[in-house]
Amino acid sequence: MIRQALLTAALFALPLAATAQEPANCTLSPDHWVAEVAPMLDGFWQVNSRVGTLEMAGRVIPLPPGPASTAGITHQADGALTISSDMIGGDYPLDWADPGQRWNFTPGPEVPVNAADFPDDEDLALLTGCEDANTLPRLRATGSFTETEGRVEFDLLLFVVDANALYGVTIGRLNGGQGTARRILTFTR
């Protein structure tokens, strides 16, 4: 019980009591994600950039939490989703992840971040009441944008925790591989 309370605070810094009382998204089959999950994601989200890493010139350094931002998710009549934010310079399609694909955000021992600073997949499963976090609906966006350092190609991977909480990671590659940044993100309303 104490572990769950600490994980909840670490994950979102807001109460997730509603998550424990509502049916978990992990019980929905992927066939129902478009009809049942997609409409509830429409709207604006507060995005908190948490710890991350930057790999460049053969070195990996920790990144502190980044600035908060806002993103919008739009649900189209045909069930399609898009995400937009000034941070990523435009609108990008959000696609449902292949249910057979496994995501693991746990850093390896060579990564210079404290794994306790963010929940891993087992912690996320505990918080949501799922046996496996990879049974949650998951979304992916890919794209590219230009910033002062050059061109950034990115992947955004998001677990749908509930109607008010998304958890994921963004992976950005600068100038075709000159450097790679990874950062944990939480989306809340």
Side-chain angles (χ1 to χ4, degrees):
M1 189 63 147
I2 293 172
R3 178 176 162 84
Q4 185 169 0
L6 292 173
L7 291 173
T8 300
L11 180 58
F12 297 108
L14 65 103
L16 283 180
T19 302
Q21 296 168 358
E22 297 173 1
N25 284 333
C26 56
T27 61
L28 290 175
S29 74
D31 296 338
H32 292 95
W33 293 354
V34 172
E36 295 181 36
V37 178
M40 72 180 189
L41 302 176
D42 193 77
F44 291 98
W45 295 81
Q46 175 74 28
V47 181
N48 290 304
S49 297
R50 299 194 173 270
V51 297
T53 59
L54 174 63
E55 183 178 351
M56 189 174 271
R59 294 186 57 213
V60 180
I61 60 171
L63 294 174
S69 62
T70 302
I73 295 178
T74 304
H75 175 249
Q76 309 292 331
D78 64 359
L81 293 167
T82 57
I83 188 167
S84 62
S85 169
D86 289 342
M87 297 291 281
I88 56 174
D91 295 335
Y92 299 91
L94 270 172
D95 297 314
W96 296 103
D98 176 350
Q101 184 183 29
R102 299 201 48 84
W103 293 354
N104 183 349
F105 297 168
T106 305
E110 72 286 352
V111 178
V113 296
N114 183 356
D117 287 343
F118 57 91
D120 66 10
D121 302 355
E122 290 178 9
D123 297 332
L124 187 58
L126 177 65
L127 286 170
T128 58
C130 300
E131 278 192 38
D132 180 355
N134 282 285
T135 61
L136 288 165
R138 293 172 290 140
L139 292 163
R140 179 183 189 137
T142 60
S144 62
F145 59 92
T146 302
E147 60 177 23
T148 55
E149 292 82 14
R151 189 95 176 138
V152 176
E153 297 171 0
F154 73 90
D155 290 300
L156 173 65
L157 309 175
L158 294 171
F159 286 97
V160 179
V161 175
D162 64 26
N164 297 307
L166 309 175
Y167 180 72
V169 66
T170 184
I171 304 165
R173 290 163 299 284
L174 179 63
N175 296 325
Q178 184 179 5
T180 301
R182 291 175 176 79
R183 188 178 296 278
I184 296 294
L185 301 172
T186 58
F187 284 53
T188 56
R189 296 200 236 214

